[in-house]
Amino acid sequence: MTPVILLAAERESAEVTDWAARIGWVVGLALFVALVYWLMREGWKWRGTLQGDLPELHSAPEDPGPVKLSMSGRYHGSTTAGQWLDRIVAHGLGTRSRVELTLTDAGLDVVRPGADDFFVPAEALRGARLDKGIAGKVLTEGGLLVVTWAHGDRLIDSGFRSDHAAEHNEWVDTLNHMISETEGAR
């Protein structure tokens, strides 16, 4: 026999897929992903427990006074001041959301649909700057408005991004001017 005929005689059908092994791998991978998500959730809750010494957040006063500035955009989270990767999750400060910021003589009102609102009294404001990142969010240089404020015995940086980034400079100037006036009055 010629080699071509031998090759044709030895042909077999294609190997049948082993469905049990394939299903086993898919289920195993799904369980692994579920485990990773569960561990991440537990880590988030543990971080909140460790930050349990953070006092309750202030709520806005009945009459905060006339509005100096307002802005809509996104709240990207809060961190320990100067440590842009040390996210604060206690009292909902780690929850990203839409935001409506309002600055008055009384302070900074942070209204977050779908998350807890909070208020930063004028006496607690420490500074404002443009930055490029905060825990979990990195933008172009100057793309993030970071407001530093005191709460309890901690200094906190909170990151905001306006729907209109051109507003950031006005916010930094107004906040820093307001802070210097407040410090001068003390």
Side-chain angles (χ1 to χ4, degrees), residues 131-153:
D131 212 331
K132 64 179 178 179
I134 199 159
K137 186 65 175 180
V138 178
L139 300 163
T140 58
E141 191 67 44
L144 193 66
L145 169 66
V146 177
V147 178
T148 303
W149 52 288
H151 189 60
D153 61 349

Side-chain angles (χ1 to χ4, degrees), residues 156-174:
I156 298 173
D157 283 343
S158 293
F160 306 94
R161 177 146 173 95
S162 173
D163 289 336
H164 309 286
E167 296 176 329
H168 288 173
N169 289 324
E170 182 181 10
W171 272 83
V172 169
D173 294 342
T174 304

Side-chain angles (χ1 to χ4, degrees), residues 1 3 11 32 47 52 82 94 109 111 114 125 145 163 170 173-174:
M1 288 192 172
R11 289 209 173 183
F32 177 74
R47 181 175 278 273
D109 189 17
V111 177
L125 291 168
L145 169 66
D163 289 336
E170 182 181 10
D173 294 342
T174 304

Side-chain angles (χ1 to χ4, degrees), residues 21-117:
R22 186 169 288 185
I23 290 172
W25 276 104
V26 169
V27 168
L29 181 62
L31 288 173
F32 177 74
V33 169
L35 173 69
V36 168
Y37 277 113
W38 179 78
L39 288 172
M40 288 170 49
R41 183 173 177 267
E42 290 300 307
W44 187 270
K45 287 176 13 183
W46 178 249
R47 181 175 278 273
T49 302
L50 291 176
Q51 296 168 349
D53 63 335
L54 194 67
E56 286 295 320
L57 299 171
H58 300 283
S59 56
E62 290 293 321
D63 183 25
V67 174
K68 289 184 173 194
L69 287 174
S70 65
M71 167 176 93
S72 64
R74 297 221 31 102
Y75 169 77
H76 288 290
S78 293
T79 62
T80 302
Q83 299 177 14
W84 72 283
L85 290 176
D86 186 21
R87 184 187 299 265
I88 296 177
V89 300
H91 307 300
L93 288 175
T95 305
R96 288 187 183 172
S97 62
R98 293 283 307 155
V99 71
E100 294 291 330
L101 286 180
T102 306
L103 181 64
T104 64
D105 288 329
L108 182 65
D109 189 17
V110 182
V111 177
R112 302 183 305 153
D116 295 336
D117 302 340

